[in-house]
């Protein structure tokens, strides 16, 4: 004999329906309003007429892009000058030892 359960349908923006089964003893607030549709990967909601909009994915950012978000051009120039000075200093010490 099966336990009492609720059958809930979810729809994504493409109209795909996904059915989930939950225990009838589960409180309404514990049943998710949104799930990821296993067919499309889009978010799916319980309102067939108003499915959730697709989430806009941010493009992959390089390390440099993240650094540019955190530093001003002036800070970047100063840090680059410091790094180049240290490099030149190290190189001059190794060439003078030869």
């Amino acid at each position: 004999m099966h336990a009492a359960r609720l059958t809930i349908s979810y729809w994504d923006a493409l109209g795909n329906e996904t059915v989930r089964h939950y225990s009838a003893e589960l409180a309404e607030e514990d049943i998710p309003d949104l799930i990821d549709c296993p067919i499309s990967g889009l978010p799916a909601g319980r309102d067939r007429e108003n499915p959730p909009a697709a989430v806009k994915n941010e493009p992959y950012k390089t390390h440099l892009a993240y650094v540019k978000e955190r530093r001003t051009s002036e800070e970047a120039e100063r840090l680059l000058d410091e790094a180049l000075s240290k490099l030149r200093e190290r190189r001059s010490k190794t060439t003078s030892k030869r």
Side-chain angles (χ1 to χ4, degrees), residues 55-66:
V55 178
K56 181 182 175 193
N57 289 329
E58 294 282 329
Y60 172 78
K61 289 185 185 179
T62 63
H63 175 70
L64 181 59
Y66 283 109

Side-chain angles (χ1 to χ4, degrees), residues 15-79:
N16 296 311
E17 179 183 18
T18 302
V19 177
R20 292 283 189 257
H21 302 283
Y22 300 98
S23 168
E25 296 174 6
L26 199 61
E28 177 67 28
E29 60 269 7
D30 292 333
I31 298 173
D33 291 326
L34 294 175
I35 63 167
D36 291 333
C37 176
I39 299 167
S40 67
L42 296 172
R46 295 164 71 176
D47 184 352
R48 183 180 197 163
E49 302 304 316
N50 297 302
V55 178
K56 181 182 175 193
N57 289 329
E58 294 282 329
Y60 172 78
K61 289 185 185 179
T62 63
H63 175 70
L64 181 59
Y66 283 109
V67 170
K68 286 181 177 181
E69 287 179 359
R70 295 191 314 265
R71 306 261 190 237
T72 64
S73 296
E74 293 78 25
E75 288 174 315
E77 280 292 323
R78 184 177 50 78
L79 290 171

